[in-house]
Amino acid sequence: MNTILEFLRDQARREPDSPAIYSRSTPTNWINLTWKEAWEKVIALSIGFRTRGLESGDRLAIIAPNCLEWELAHFAALASGAIVIGLDGHDTAERLRKILLHANVNALVVSDYKTLIKLGPATQAAKFILCLSPTKDSETLPASLTWDQIINSPGRGNNVPPPFPKEDDPATIIYTSGTTGEPKGIRYSHGQLTLACESIIAALPASRPGARFVCWLPLSNLFQRVMNLCAVATGASLYMVADPLKVLDFVQEIGPDVFIGVPRFYEKLATSIKQKLAAETGLKAALAQCALSIGRRYAATKKTGCKPSVALQLQYWLADRVVLRRLRELFGARLQYLISGSAPIPLWILEFFESFGCLILEAYGLSENILPIAMNTPNAYRFGTVGKVMPQNQIRTDKDGELLVRGPGLFKGYFGDPGSFGRVSKDGFYRTGDYGQFDDAGFLKLTGRKSEIIKTSSGRRVALPSIEAVLRELSWVDHAVVLGSGRKCLVALITLSSSTKGTSTFSSARRTELVAHIRARLSRHEQPAAALILAQPFTVDGGELTPNLKLRRAEIERKYATATEALYQCLDQMAQRSEPEQFPIELHE
């Protein structure tokens, strides 16, 4: 297989009448497109694109929620020889405009007129704009077209299939999430995408004909896009969920065989389950806690390679029938395992899900290397690691412990920036920016990211994500960001969970709980000395989070620089007065 377009074409030949893509037609019904129907629509749409001026090498950007039209437009653009750029409509208007201009986008597919207004003058150079939900306002724009206008273009009568792209032709430009600065574009070829899919399919046996995948992470996300391609390559059915916040409303009826997510999703779900179980009283509460305890012991015994005792097997059978099975059914009846990527996941989440029979497999990858670097698999996994290195990658460790990667999935430099390949050594190894080490069985454990390991003025090195994960263990904490590079101590910025309404609810009891938790769970040099409690949550629209829900640290630090400086001044004044050790907390409305 040389191009990802062949994935769809070959499925249409092998299983023409099998369900390919499901989308929601009404609040209660799913409709599906077969592989043959999907391929026919892609060909018709690609002819329409070319009739409207789309040429090989052009850049087509898609800014829309997950939907059937997203996938069809994606494949149709590839069939036209174009390069696809997926963007998240929830990203800031400024960032979207910058990307469109940087990529010199030639055509657009957008969800609605509101998105067009958000993009402003960045759309002026487009040969055409396909608006999926047209209105009278969008129809007044000269370049704006409807779905029917494109798919029924005059050239459609020729019925001439487009020329197939080649293996080395570019297929997509992925823009990095911009956690430490401006997003950068990374161009990948058809051959690199097919290689990534083949490596994942070989590692994950759940990807097979008839399996069910849920597409719910934004399709600007490389992780979700490649998993969708794996589904197409193997004949698995794709279920499109437009609103990520509603994924759990649909997942039980979909019954996926495999479910992918990001650590923040699993963390919020685990916290929600724990809160509901904690709210139970009497016999129900006792049964729930007992069942989870049995589940933990059963899983721990199996991981050692030992067979559980007859007594433990009987206890587990009872616990499963009464409690554990009901928790698993959150993901439907077909689930084999879950996958977590994009950021490290706390160990307690993995162990909690395992206690009721849901295995989360952690993987590790970079935007700059389209092949997953390492992955836990159903037959070889170890919690606290990101699995074993995928066979197509070569990994070595630098003197300071930084991981370097080389292989066919490595990018060739940032798009539009020919001098940007400086992080690659002379022999072709890319500096990942991550620290890691291998255990005796070859599992890779990440120990920190360079940009997230800081030094205080005393010279102590601290890893920020591990401290922030401890703070998020408190049920009323939504996000936590720790600052302190070059300072004598750390401070924490904390947003409150949705169940906590405003900073006015931050009671003295919570202050006491926060201080006790910090001092019990963190070493002295890791303990924040003060906290800023923020009334406003971190959001994608606000610029504090990426579409993958990762923190944009630079933006957060800039946004709250004045309040953070005031917090440090308070600490300095306390030190000058030689006051007894305290923990100042400021409320920021």
Side-chain angles (χ1 to χ4, degrees), residues 190-439:
H190 280 266
Q192 287 176 303
L193 278 166
T194 57
L195 185 60
C197 293
E198 288 165 359
S199 67
I200 292 172
I201 291 166
L204 300 176
S207 186
R208 65 183 193 283
R212 299 176 185 177
F213 282 24
V214 182
C215 174
W216 72 281
L217 294 174
L219 280 165
S220 55
N221 183 311
L222 179 61
F223 186 26
Q224 181 69 73
R225 190 109 61 91
V226 171
M227 290 302 293
N228 280 20
L229 292 174
C230 288
V232 176
T234 57
S237 297
L238 271 173
Y239 286 76
M240 310 300 289
V241 176
D243 184 353
L245 298 178
K246 295 182 178 179
V247 64
L248 286 178
D249 295 341
F250 300 135
V251 77
Q252 279 185 294
E253 62 179 284
I254 294 171
D257 292 78
V258 59
F259 183 90
I260 69 170
V262 293
R264 188 66 182 139
F265 169 80
Y266 294 121
E267 186 172 6
K268 291 176 79 72
L269 179 57
T271 300
S272 173
I273 294 171
K274 283 191 165 189
Q275 288 174 342
K276 288 177 181 177
L277 293 176
E280 298 286 359
T281 57
L283 181 59
K284 283 187 176 181
L287 282 172
Q289 295 306 316
C290 180
L292 288 171
S293 176
I294 292 169
R296 284 192 293 270
R297 286 191 286 120
Y298 184 81
T301 302
K302 291 196 72 175
K303 275 197 296 191
T304 64
C306 299
K307 184 178 179 180
S309 66
V310 174
L312 183 54
Q313 289 184 56
L314 178 59
Q315 290 171 358
Y316 183 79
W317 181 80
L318 288 169
D320 192 62
R321 286 183 65 85
V322 176
V323 176
L324 305 182
R325 183 172 58 185
R326 295 180 183 179
L327 295 178
R328 281 200 305 279
E329 287 173 354
L330 283 170
F331 294 98
R334 297 166 52 108
L335 185 74
Q336 296 184 45
Y337 45 81
L338 306 115
I339 301 172
S340 177
S342 87
I345 186 169
L347 183 60
W348 73 266
I349 299 174
L350 301 173
E351 293 174 340
F352 177 68
F353 276 84
E354 185 190 39
S355 69
F356 56 87
C358 283
L359 175 63
I360 299 179
L361 300 171
E362 190 172 5
Y364 166 52
L366 296 171
S367 297
E368 289 81 359
N369 192 71
I370 198 165
L371 287 166
I373 292 177
M375 181 181 286
N376 283 289
T377 67
N379 299 318
Y381 66 91
R382 184 166 292 184
F383 288 173
T385 78
V386 291
K388 294 186 176 182
V389 174
M390 299 291 273
Q392 298 87 348
N393 296 309
Q394 293 176 269
I395 296 285
R396 77 181 186 201
T397 306
D398 208 358
K399 293 178 182 178
D400 65 351
E402 183 181 5
L403 298 170
L404 283 72
V405 61
R406 180 174 69 181
L410 194 63
F411 78 137
K412 307 300 182 188
Y414 294 111
F415 178 73
D417 187 1
S420 63
F421 213 42
R423 288 176 66 178
V424 176
S425 63
K426 291 181 180 179
D427 55 351
F429 279 87
Y430 174 73
R431 294 185 173 278
T432 65
D434 291 308
Y435 295 114
Q437 57 192 31
F438 291 92
D439 66 14

Side-chain angles (χ1 to χ4, degrees), residues 63-76:
I63 311 175
N66 298 351
C67 59
L68 170 66
E69 290 80 7
W70 208 111
E71 283 294 359
L72 295 178
H74 172 214
F75 277 102

